[in-house]
Amino acid sequence: MHKPLLQLHGFSVSYGAVEAVHPVDLEVRSGEIVTVIGPNGAGKTTLLSAIMGLLPARGGMELDGRRIARATVEGMVAERVALVPEKRELFGDMTVKDNLLLGGFPLWRKGQRDQSQRMDEVYAIFPRLGERCAQLASTLSGGERQMLAIGRALMARPRLLMLDEPSLGLAPLIVREVLNVVASLRAHGVSVLLVEQNARAALRVADRAYVLETGSVVLSGAARDLLHDARVIETYLGAV
Ligand code: ATP
């Protein structure tokens, strides 16, 4: 398929003396949706935070074939990598539109003033945000808030979008709606690294998957194969 966008080689992350993510190899190819599934405390959030430069890491990271010696948040934003954290971190007393404008700030700073065009593109991806552009973020439903968090990240035109548990706290129908939009991002040239505890929903939209347990990748492969893997079914999917 497409060429590698993000490659991790022996990438590990520690909190003090405790290694929370043991050396992992992971790849996201251009145009791919890759999911990392695993139980509470497996190290999924830690992994995304370190890729984003929020935590120091050891080992190798390459973006588009170029080595990133030491990731920093500013550097990763400039590389067009975006992270939507688990807590979504919206500005509740600001409107949907203003939250989106803030997300476009990295582009604006680089002199790209096409914020309104980009906003229209985000509204085309999430029509619900367009309908509610003047509404305060704090008054949105859980699903709409998640859409706004993703939409805000998309304002900076990321080539790699990292999502930390977008399904958290959402009803199953809404999870499907949000993840279907995530799947559609391929067509917009966005690659996605999706961290999820909701393994079934994640495996249904992803191309490939990694299973992370206590900081180590214990299984990886095509998402559709993992959906039928006996160990994944037993541990993560349960009876259908
Ligand atoms: P969850 O799905 O519950 O968010 P996770 O897979 O994202 O879990 P992490 O939050 O990355 O897991 O946690 C991985 C390990 O690192 C856990 O053992 C956790 O207790 C530990 N950890 C997380 N944050 C810190 C921190 N700031 N200081 C020390 N240890 C931490």
Side-chain angles (χ1 to χ4, degrees):
M1 192 163 114
H2 306 281
K3 59 184 181 139
L5 176 59
L6 173 74
Q7 288 173 297
L8 305 180
H9 314 279
F11 190 84
S12 66
V13 195
S14 300
Y15 294 106
V18 180
E19 196 171 74
V21 174
H22 307 307
V24 297
D25 293 341
L26 181 147
E27 182 174 274
V28 181
R29 294 179 159 257
S30 165
E32 246 189 345
I33 298 183
V34 172
T35 187
V36 176
I37 59 172
N40 269 316
K44 304 183 297 299
T45 299
T46 302
L47 179 65
L48 291 193
S49 303
I51 294 170
M52 197 65 207
L54 290 160
L55 290 171
R58 289 169 195 259
M61 167 155 63
E62 285 175 28
L63 254 184
D64 231 354
R66 273 185 307 111
R67 193 171 126 70
I68 308 286
R70 200 162 192 279
T72 61
V73 177
E74 294 82 355
M76 295 309 277
V77 169
E79 292 282 357
R80 293 175 41 225
V81 174
L83 170 65
V84 179
E86 193 176 304
K87 292 202 173 80
R88 293 157 204 179
E89 288 167 10
L90 297 171
F91 295 95
D93 53 2
M94 287 172 65
T95 62
V96 165
K97 181 179 171 189
D98 287 344
N99 270 277
L100 289 178
L101 280 173
L102 278 175
F105 183 67
L107 284 187
W108 185 82
R109 210 171 52 166
K110 282 201 295 189
Q112 296 182 26
R113 308 287 155 119
D114 61 345
Q115 302 260 46
S116 62
Q117 186 198 331
R118 184 58 182 158
M119 203 168 331
D120 288 343
E121 289 166 8
V122 170
Y123 289 152
I125 296 170
F126 292 109
R128 195 94 62 90
L129 295 183
E131 290 159 19
R132 295 173 184 274
C133 62
Q135 196 170 319
L136 293 184
S138 59
T139 63
L140 296 174
S141 72
E144 289 163 354
R145 260 181 241 184
Q146 185 59 68
M147 291 175 198
L148 179 54
I150 297 173
R152 187 177 60 180
L154 289 175
M155 283 295 294
R157 296 187 191 277
R159 46 185 177 161
L160 176 66
L161 177 66
M162 301 195 290
L163 302 174
D164 194 356
E165 306 249 2
S167 77
L168 199 76
L170 303 184
L173 216 63
I174 311 294
V175 170
R176 201 173 312 162
E177 194 182 330
V178 170
L179 290 185
N180 282 342
V181 177
V182 169
S184 77
L185 294 177
R186 281 191 200 93
H188 297 270
V190 184
S191 308
V192 177
L193 182 57
L194 167 69
V195 152
E196 263 301 338
Q197 268 194 66
N198 187 336
R200 190 186 304 280
L203 290 173
R204 279 187 177 150
V205 297
D207 299 300
R208 285 189 309 108
Y210 294 83
V211 180
L212 194 68
E213 288 179 3
T214 54
S216 298
V217 171
V218 295
L219 198 62
S220 63
R224 82 176 80 84
D225 294 342
L226 263 58
L227 265 175
H228 300 108
D229 181 273
R231 176 171 172 186
V232 172
I233 291 171
E234 189 189 332
T235 315
Y236 298 104
L237 304 179
V240 184

